[in-house]
Amino acid sequence: MKSNALEREIERFQLRTPQARTLNDEAKEYLPGGSSRGTAWFDPYPIVADRGAGHYLYDVDGNAYLDFMINATSLILGHAHPDVVGALQEQAARGTAFSAPTKLQAKLASILCDRIPSVERVRFTNSGTEGTLMAIRAARAYTGRHKIAKFEGGYHGSHEYAAVSVRPPASALDPEGPTAIPEHPGQPPSVAEGVVTLPYNNLEKSRRILKAHAHELACVIMEPIASALGYLPADPEFLSGIREATEELGLLLIFDEVQSFRAAPGGAQQSFNVVPDMTCLGKIIGGGLPVGAFGGREDVMALFDPTNGGAEVAHAGTFNANPMTLAAGTVVMEAMTPAIYQRLNALGETLRAKLRAVFDELEVPCQITGTASFFGMHITSEPVTDYRSALRSDKAMRNALFMGLVNEGVLLQESCSGALSTLTTDTEVDALVDAVREVLHRIS
Ligand SMILES: Cc1ncc(COP(=O)(O)O)c(C=O)c1O
């Protein structure tokens, strides 16, 4: 990378975003660093959103961004889709939240149960974090065991047992293999004792570790497509091997499909043809409003059944299954027909091929990851198969690429990954690819 490439992109950014700078400075008076959300902040300060329309996000400085971040992949129909806006206006006028169920609850639940192979019963939450927390609690209650197994580099939300070995620094890694490392100061050290960590895409090692800990494990929680690793899909044999191992050892298998659900009408479990015991959901099922859900086998979900003398596991939440989220989510799910998934995923394939070609053309080493409508870029010549290989990516260059793309009016996740929306066509794919070429010319 050219020296000072990142600094030059930051200078360019600051010239384009004076209002954002002022607003972020003002926000610092009231919020630490001016921020409430990790993924909505980047150095030196984030753009400040004014509005979204279709494929574009507009900032307060008057810049337009072709948005491939789409609120962490959640806005699969793009910003302010007229049908979603209409459903929300109608519901807002009828009331936004009640201490009573609405007809919408069973409607969206039926769509999810019909489509997702593992989901016989489902419950709604307000975030993916709560969804994974409750699925894990269900697995513990069902099995009577308390430890969980997760993969190194896997993100499943911010609660204590999920926040283990998500992004451990290279210096903390045991060369022998994954260990349980709490993510943050402030977590009790005991969380590490409750978590067994596994290497992604390594069936032999994972199986060995699971076997050794089976007597104390309730579940394995994992993503079939590892979002924090640039949407790296699991090797199919690895995924089916983990299913076999968990079945053999009597552990519940939880798929965190908070992100990967957008891969197919029935989620990534349908495309891989691997059915877990439990599934966690979020993002697209809320139509752009706060949401999460967990569901799975009827006998496990029966723990939450309040009839017959009360639920074994109580689960409350002031805004669980609120009608605003359900109304928006139902519009989105009904819009997502099998033909749309097919078109979107084919376009994802085209984008990944075109990105590969640009990096090859400019002789910049890169691994393009992703599947379905997801993509990720890792600046490394080595194949990316797990957390440790993803760590080899040139972070400084990736930051310069991210910032350069912002300056070109293209918004990705800071890790240089993203997702398509149903509004994406060849035109937007080519615009992204051309912007990557332009930025690589500047920085490499
Ligand atoms: C795979 C995965 N699981 C869980 C979560 C947590 O969801 P939420 O941010 O809605 O709490 C996320 C959020 O990005 C996620 O990507």
Side-chain angles (χ1 to χ4, degrees):
M1 185 173 79
K2 284 185 188 141
S3 64
N4 294 336
L6 178 58
E7 289 75 4
R8 278 206 301 273
E9 292 301 333
I10 288 177
E11 274 167 29
R12 206 183 271 246
F13 172 75
Q14 286 170 326
L15 287 174
R16 286 166 51 89
T17 56
Q19 293 240 44
R21 184 182 202 155
T22 305
L23 288 166
N24 274 290
D25 282 343
E26 285 171 9
K28 285 179 191 164
E29 297 288 317
Y30 310 105
L31 301 123
S35 177
S36 265
R37 182 179 172 198
T39 46
W41 190 90
F42 56 78
D43 200 32
Y45 54 82
I47 58 167
V48 175
D50 179 36
R51 66 194 175 88
H55 217 309
Y56 284 87
L57 186 155
Y58 299 88
D59 72 8
V60 291
D61 287 286
N63 300 304
Y65 298 90
L66 196 49
D67 191 1
F68 292 96
M69 188 173 191
I70 40 175
N71 195 36
T73 75
S74 62
L75 301 171
I76 200 162
L77 302 189
H79 293 279
H81 189 285
D83 294 347
V84 174
V85 172
L88 286 173
Q89 282 171 335
E90 195 184 318
Q91 187 58 49
R94 295 164 63 89
T96 57
F98 312 108
S99 292
T102 58
K103 287 181 191 167
L104 290 164
Q105 163 171 266
K107 169 89 180 156
L108 184 56
S110 75
I111 295 174
L112 299 175
C113 290
D114 287 349
R115 292 191 188 182
I116 310 173
S118 67
V119 177
E120 293 174 341
R121 296 287 185 275
V122 67
R123 280 178 79 94
F124 293 103
T125 63
N126 297 297
S127 65
T129 290
E130 291 164 76
T132 58
L133 185 153
M134 293 311 299
I136 288 171
R137 184 171 294 167
R140 288 188 179 128
Y142 186 82
T143 60
R145 299 186 290 265
H146 81 275
K147 288 198 183 183
I148 70 163
K150 73 175 287 292
F151 287 87
E152 190 175 66
Y155 180 68
H156 304 292
S158 52
H159 55 91
E160 300 295 6
Y161 291 88
V164 170
S165 299
V166 180
R167 281 200 281 182
S171 58
L173 298 179
D174 181 343
E176 296 295 311
T179 52
I181 305 171
E183 277 296 288
H184 315 286
Q187 289 183 274
S190 58
V191 296
E193 290 156 27
V195 179
V196 169
T197 324
L198 309 166
Y200 201 71
N201 273 332
N202 187 330
L203 181 58
E204 201 188 309
K205 259 196 180 167
S206 297
R207 197 198 285 271
R208 209 174 323 127
I209 299 169
L210 288 176
K211 226 174 179 169
H213 292 274
H215 62 284
E216 51 188 3
L217 281 174
C219 61
V220 174
I221 183 164
M222 67 180 299
E223 289 180 274
I225 299 168
S227 44
L229 308 183
Y231 300 105
L232 179 72
D235 178 70
E237 276 175 29
F238 161 73
L239 200 63
S240 53
I242 294 293
R243 173 66 285 189
E244 275 165 30
T246 46
E247 220 156 56
E248 226 172 82
L249 299 167
L251 318 179
L252 294 193
L253 179 60
I254 303 173
F255 275 0
D256 177 348
E257 294 231 45
V258 167
Q259 295 216 47
S260 63
F261 179 51
R262 62 152 46 227
Q269 59 195 266
Q270 185 180 43
S271 18
F272 280 96
N273 197 21
V274 175
V275 181
D277 301 293
M278 301 283 289
T279 296
C280 308
L281 301 164
K283 311 277 192 208
I284 68 165
I285 69 160
L289 273 76
V291 77
F294 63 102
R297 276 169 36 190
E298 186 182 355
D299 60 336
V300 181
M301 291 302 289
L303 289 162
F304 300 94
D305 184 346
T307 62
N308 297 323
E312 273 181 72
V313 182
H315 169 225
T318 305
F319 291 99
N320 286 0
N322 75 78
M324 295 293 281
T325 294
L326 297 174
T330 303
V331 169
V332 170
M333 293 319 299
E334 286 181 336
M336 293 304 297
T337 59
I340 289 195
Y341 283 97
Q342 233 170 27
R343 188 192 76 78
L344 206 54
N345 293 357
L347 203 55
E349 202 60 54
T350 304
L351 170 62
R352 290 186 293 276
K354 288 190 172 181
L355 286 174
R356 270 184 206 109
V358 168
F359 280 91
D360 285 351
E361 175 193 319
L362 299 180
E363 297 181 359
V364 177
C366 186
Q367 304 296 318
I368 303 296
T369 49
T371 182
S373 52
F374 294 114
F375 62 92
M377 298 178 233
H378 308 257
I379 316 290
T380 170
S381 53
E382 303 290 315
V384 172
T385 57
D386 59 8
Y387 176 70
R388 293 179 186 214
S389 45
L391 260 190
R392 290 193 207 115
S393 184
D394 180 340
K395 205 166 167 238
M397 185 155 175
R398 197 191 64 192
N399 289 347
L401 176 58
F402 165 76
M403 188 51 81
L405 287 170
V406 173
N407 290 332
E408 291 298 312
V410 174
L411 209 53
L412 302 187
Q413 295 170 25
E414 214 184 347
S415 58
C416 286
S417 52
L420 309 185
S421 75
T422 56
L423 301 175
T424 313
T425 66
D426 285 311
T427 307
E428 288 77 23
V429 162
D430 288 343
L432 167 56
V433 171
D434 289 345
V436 169
R437 181 184 289 106
E438 173 66 28
V439 176
L440 287 179
H441 268 304
R442 278 209 301 267
I443 67 172
S444 65

